Amino acid sequence: MTAPRLLVAGIGNIFLADDAFGPEVIKALAGRPLPAEVHVRDFGIRGMDLAYQLLDGYDAAVFVDAAPRGLAPGTLSLIEPDLPDAADTARHVPEAHGMDPVKVLALAAHLGEGALPRVVVLACEPEAVPSTDDPDVTVGLSTPVRDAVERAVPLLHTVVERLLADAGAALAAG
């Protein structure tokens, strides 16, 4: 039996403060890399690239992203989103240079011939995410999110280890 194929995708805009959480976690993995059989990539805001990558036969994908959920800034969560089916794609057209994970999953569902891989989101509650309509660039993470990057690396290792053993394994953030 072969090990499951896994994708770890950093998601976020490095010019929008805490939205850079995903790319920063991917960068932090340089000091403690994931196993070589795991495909790790910083997708930034390239949603189309991620949608096509999801069609490459992965058993599971872990999105690393900032996600406002009403929790304390820096709180890490594991989320399993409902995956769209191909019929659900009409209302979720992705932007060429944007990264809305729901739209990315909808596009992948539309383009793919089979089921999407299992998707797990390693999410961090942001403290500061400027609006994309705001012309000001805000580079750098807030203190709680910067601290969460260091906690996210070992959590990501644990999640990947479990998914490599069983792509359908139950996961918890603790």
Side-chain angles (χ1 to χ4, degrees):
M1 184 171 113
T2 62
R5 291 192 65 225
L6 300 183
L7 171 67
V8 173
I11 297 173
N13 188 329
I14 62 171
F15 299 114
L16 292 179
D18 289 347
D19 196 49
F21 173 75
E24 288 297 323
V25 170
I26 299 304
K27 189 186 312 181
L29 285 172
R32 190 170 168 210
L34 292 169
E37 64 265 27
V38 178
H39 185 94
V40 178
R41 184 169 169 200
D42 173 10
F43 284 89
I45 58 170
R46 295 180 314 278
M48 297 285 275
D49 289 348
L50 177 54
Y52 280 104
Q53 190 74 50
L54 288 169
L55 303 177
D56 198 26
Y58 293 99
D59 298 294
V62 180
F63 292 1
V64 184
D65 195 10
R69 303 183 68 222
L71 304 171
T75 300
L76 297 175
S77 304
L78 290 174
I79 305 164
E80 290 207 47
D82 292 329
L83 297 180
D85 58 26
D88 192 32
T89 61
R91 62 189 178 121
H92 295 295
V93 179
E95 303 163 20
H97 299 288
M99 179 60 85
D100 177 337
V102 171
K103 291 180 180 180
V104 168
L105 291 170
L107 176 63
H110 177 71
L111 295 172
E113 294 178 9
L116 290 176
R118 176 184 186 190
V119 175
V120 176
V121 180
L122 171 52
C124 179
E125 183 72 34
E127 181 176 74
V129 178
S131 165
T132 55
D133 298 329
D134 187 353
D136 292 333
V137 170
T138 308
V139 177
L141 300 175
S142 65
T143 300
V145 173
R146 186 174 42 252
D147 294 344
V149 168
E150 296 307 314
R151 294 190 323 275
V153 170
L155 178 56
L156 189 54
H157 274 267
T158 299
V159 167
V160 164
E161 180 181 307
R162 289 181 185 157
L163 292 174
L164 283 173
D166 175 6
L171 301 172

